[in-house]
Amino acid sequence: MARVVQHARPKSGGSRVPNVRSPVRTIKRTQEVDEAIKPGALLKTLLEDPVRFVSSQREELRAGMSLEAARAANYEVVNDTTPEKTRTRESYVSEDVPPADDEETAGASSTQPLYAPRLSARFPRTQMRAAGLYNRGNTCYLNSVMQALLHTPPLATALLTQNLSTLLGRYGVPHNAKQAAKAANSFNVMAALKDFFERAWQGGSATPSQFINNLRKFAKPLRPGRQEDAHEYLRLLLEALQQASTCFPLEKLRPNDPLLTTTLVQDIFGGRLRSRVSCHSCRYNSDTFDPIMDLSLDVRKGINSIKQALDAFTAPESLSGTEKYKCDSCKKRVDATKRFSIDAAPMALTVHLKRFGIFGNKINRPVSYSERLHLGKYMSERTKGFGADDATLSTAGAAQQYRLYAVVHHFGSGPNVGHYVASVRAPDGQWLRMDDSYVTRLPKCPLDDPSAYVLFYLREPVALDVATASLAPLEKRKPASPEKRKRPKEHAPLPLDDDALGEPLERGEYESLVKTRRAAKTSDSSDEASVNHELPALSHTDTEPRPLKPRELKKRKKRRLAQERDGASHHMPRS
């Protein structure tokens, strides 16, 4: 133990003690320095990396271990060698997340789409071949849906060519340590789907093990090991992908915020329905818009084709009697008409046929469907001929043409029994039957199959000149040629009864009418030749009266001669 010597203070007025450093103060400073530099390894670690976490192979965890996560959490990076002025947008967690001190950039990024890259309607390579999927016990419903998604060209191209941060968008990646911890303890559907696509497109056979093991985390109504409905699994999976892209918003979002429609899954599968109620009294239209991920069509009541189902879906419904509509303009209950229409068509249209009843029975009747589907007559009037992206005229057409690329089949008597398989169109155009791990070739597209349950259509691009020509308004059409504009209009023929002839004509008017007939194309007719023989000398006039038919001319001549005879008899003197 160090010896402590207490020095007495000099008395007032006495001699001054020399300036000697206090041993107590020296020992105290030495202890503080020792405590500060005692963990030398920790000091060295801090100089190498500003933040150190346990290493992980999951991309969503690695996103929270970088310099970007430290900056987003407002931590000071002590050894950052990047100059502040040369730091770019790529140094942040998301491409579209601006620096906190740049208000103008923040305002501009809030209007940018969550998924920025342009979607492609083609696969990255035409020689690709997807793998069969092993059945892990009543997972055929899951395998068939995953095969349909694997062969969706825009989804496959995005998952195979983009990184996870770009797929999730700026609202799907963590921005601070708390969000990074939440992401570490949750199942990221987008990351699992990207990993599954990369393994499945390598060939051979694969297993969607992550989705089977974590089924209750993103699809709570479904049970592992039990046969489930393929359409319900597809709907829950797409909702989970949408949630993964919007789970870490930078600001509070409204449920109907337009920014939520710019995610990857919404750009591919998202559409919009319009429900219009038209008042019969004041003609006021009340519109309601609902987002959709698929189109469920009723195939009961004698419907035998997709076109009939679409006609029934968009048919007007009368609201009268006890179901009268309260008009917002009239402020009273009135008779009205309600009609559904497709206001924004998705890039990939999913058509669900309602084959299962509420009591578990199934409609096994064949429903006719074609390889190409046109939605032009089912679109709303305001956006007729346009899809979800009205600004892209290359995908706009007057008929909204779609082509079939996948079909999910169900064989059985009910939704919880039977077997699911998928028919898909490969990147090279060959149709394949995906029956779990068994893959067989099909000679052609499976049309009008009575087992078809979910149909997947992809929108085909339409040429710009064809789209704009078909959408041109009436007033902008090509004007008529000068010859057609100068051509005189043909008048309707007069009635042939004598009562409709009117007053008798004078000699000059009659001669003018006969002259007009001589100049006509039918001047060589026998009736007109006889009239010209009776009147050889005719005067030329500049005016061209209305042309008459030969039969009408003869009737007028007979009437005139009869009137002349009557007049002559009236002027004869009485005896």
Side-chain angles (χ1 to χ4, degrees):
M1 182 180 293
R3 183 179 180 183
V4 180
V5 180
Q6 184 72 28
H7 295 274
R9 281 189 177 183
K11 293 183 179 181
S12 175
S15 59
R16 188 173 182 179
V17 180
N19 187 11
V20 181
R21 180 176 296 178
S22 173
V24 178
R25 187 178 301 175
T26 303
I27 295 173
K28 186 176 181 181
R29 291 181 179 177
T30 304
Q31 293 177 350
E32 292 176 354
V33 174
D34 292 341
E35 292 177 357
I37 65 175
K38 185 176 181 179
L42 179 59
L43 180 61
K44 182 179 180 181
T45 302
L46 292 175
L47 292 177
E48 288 181 352
D49 297 316
V51 180
R52 176 174 290 274
F53 296 94
V54 179
S55 61
S56 175
Q57 298 297 326
R58 296 175 59 181
E59 292 192 23
E60 65 270 18
L61 294 183
R62 292 202 300 268
M65 303 176 189
S66 59
L67 297 177
E68 290 80 5
R71 294 193 188 96
N74 297 325
Y75 289 114
E76 181 181 1
V77 182
V78 296
N79 63 339
D80 187 11
T81 58
T82 306
E84 184 70 22
K85 295 183 179 180
T86 60
R87 199 172 294 160
T88 59
R89 289 181 60 189
E90 287 75 7
S91 62
Y92 292 88
V93 178
S94 175
E95 293 183 356
D96 301 322
V97 178
D101 56 347
D102 193 352
E103 298 180 358
E104 296 182 358
T105 309
S109 65
S110 61
T111 60
Q112 295 179 358
L114 298 182
Y115 181 75
R118 187 180 181 86
L119 295 175
S120 175
R122 296 181 176 86
F123 288 97
R125 299 183 307 275
T126 58
Q127 290 76 20
M128 299 171 58
R129 185 59 57 90
L133 304 179
Y134 290 110
N135 194 321
R136 293 278 299 273
N138 288 332
T139 60
C140 58
Y141 72 94
L142 188 147
N143 291 343
S144 61
V145 171
M146 301 304 286
Q147 288 288 3
L149 295 180
L150 279 170
H151 292 83
T152 303
L155 183 63
T157 303
L159 291 174
L160 296 176
T161 59
Q162 303 294 335
N163 56 44
L164 182 60
S165 299
T166 304
L167 296 172
L168 293 172
R170 63 179 180 274
Y171 287 176
V173 294
H175 301 283
N176 50 48
K178 183 178 179 181
Q179 293 179 353
K182 180 180 178 181
N185 297 325
S186 61
F187 175 64
N188 194 317
V189 183
M190 185 71 74
L193 191 64
K194 176 178 174 60
D195 179 71
F196 169 71
F197 269 58
E198 292 174 350
R199 290 186 293 105
W201 280 108
Q202 292 178 358
S205 296
T207 303
S209 55
Q210 295 190 55
F211 295 92
I212 298 174
N213 299 334
N214 299 278
L215 185 64
R216 296 298 304 276
K217 293 184 179 180
F218 69 94
K220 293 184 179 180
L222 308 184
R223 297 291 184 272
R226 189 177 69 181
Q227 181 73 292
E228 301 288 356
D229 187 358
H231 172 253
E232 185 178 7
Y233 170 75
L234 173 64
R235 181 176 55 83
L236 294 173
L237 178 60
L238 296 181
E239 291 178 357
L241 291 173
Q242 175 70 6
Q243 177 63 24
S245 301
T246 58
C247 57
F248 300 122
L250 297 176
E251 64 274 355
K252 189 176 181 180
L253 297 175
R254 303 186 309 273
N256 57 348
D257 196 308
L259 202 61
L260 297 177
T261 63
T262 62
T263 60
L264 174 63
V265 64
Q266 282 286 343
D267 286 346
I268 299 176
F269 298 98
R272 186 172 62 248
L273 286 181
R274 189 192 72 180
S275 174
R276 167 165 289 186
V277 181
S278 301
C279 176
H280 291 179
S281 298
C282 63
R283 305 300 179 184
Y284 175 76
N285 295 326
S286 176
D287 294 338
T288 304
F289 300 94
D290 297 314
I292 58 170
M293 286 288 190
D294 54 55
L295 199 60
S296 295
L297 300 179
D298 193 354
V299 295
R300 297 172 296 180
K301 303 178 182 178
I303 295 177
N304 299 317
S305 66
I306 294 294
K307 292 184 178 180
Q308 293 180 2
L310 286 171
D311 290 337
F313 181 77
T314 58
E317 177 185 358
S318 178
L319 302 178
S320 59
T322 58
E323 299 179 352
K324 284 189 175 182
Y325 168 71
K326 186 175 181 180
C327 180
D328 296 336
S329 179
C330 300
K331 305 298 181 182
K332 61 180 180 181
R333 293 192 173 275
V334 296
D335 293 340
T337 301
K338 180 180 179 181
R339 181 179 181 272
F340 282 102
S341 61
I342 302 175
D343 191 69
M347 185 176 186
L349 176 65
T350 304
V351 180
H352 166 230
L353 305 180
K354 295 182 179 180
R355 290 188 176 274
F356 300 123
I358 57 177
F359 300 106
N361 58 319
K362 182 187 176 183
I363 301 174
N364 290 311
R365 183 180 67 255
V367 178
S368 176
Y369 58 92
S370 58
E371 187 175 0
R372 280 179 168 80
L373 178 66
H374 301 272
L375 294 182
K377 60 181 294 188
Y378 310 110
M379 299 290 294
S380 301
E381 296 82 359
R382 182 178 58 83
T383 58
K384 191 171 184 178
F386 290 87
D389 186 7
D390 292 347
T392 308
L393 288 179
S394 60
T395 59
Q400 279 293 349
Q401 182 169 304
Y402 286 81
R403 187 178 182 183
L404 187 70
Y405 71 90
V407 181
V408 172
H409 306 265
H410 178 265
F411 300 93
S413 59
N416 298 324
V417 294
H419 183 59
Y420 286 94
V421 299
S423 298
V424 297
R425 190 175 72 235
D428 57 358
Q430 173 68 44
W431 278 90
L432 305 173
R433 175 62 60 90
M434 299 293 189
D435 187 356
D436 289 334
S437 58
Y438 297 96
V439 180
T440 56
R441 290 176 176 268
L442 295 176
K444 59 180 181 178
C445 176
L447 299 179
D448 303 338
D449 195 323
S451 63
Y453 181 46
V454 184
L455 308 175
F456 294 84
Y457 286 90
L458 185 65
R459 185 172 58 198
E460 291 185 329
V462 181
L464 180 62
D465 53 349
V466 176
T468 53
S470 61
L471 298 176
L474 295 178
E475 59 271 14
K476 294 184 179 181
R477 289 181 178 177
K478 184 179 179 180
S481 60
E483 292 80 4
K484 293 183 179 180
R485 289 200 299 265
K486 292 181 180 179
R487 185 178 300 172
K489 296 182 180 180
E490 296 182 358
H491 296 274
L494 295 176
L496 299 180
D497 53 331
D498 293 340
D499 296 335
L501 294 179
E503 297 296 330
L505 298 177
E506 297 295 336
R507 176 76 179 182
E509 296 179 12
Y510 180 70
E511 292 175 351
S512 299
L513 292 176
V514 176
K515 178 181 179 296
T516 303
R517 288 301 305 164
R518 176 182 289 180
K521 294 182 179 180
T522 59
S523 60
D524 57 345
S525 62
S526 59
D527 293 337
E528 189 175 1
S530 62
V531 175
N532 294 336
H533 179 71
E534 295 177 359
L535 299 173
L538 299 176
S539 60
H540 298 278
T541 57
D542 296 334
T543 60
E544 295 183 1
R546 171 176 51 86
L548 297 177
K549 289 187 176 182
R551 186 176 180 181
E552 185 180 358
L553 292 175
K554 293 179 68 175
K555 285 189 175 184
R556 291 201 176 191
K557 180 182 177 182
K558 290 170 118 183
R559 186 181 180 88
R560 180 176 174 277
L561 294 176
Q563 289 178 352
E564 289 180 355
R565 287 195 300 267
D566 293 341
S569 62
H570 286 307
H571 287 82
M572 289 181 62
R574 294 181 181 180
S575 58

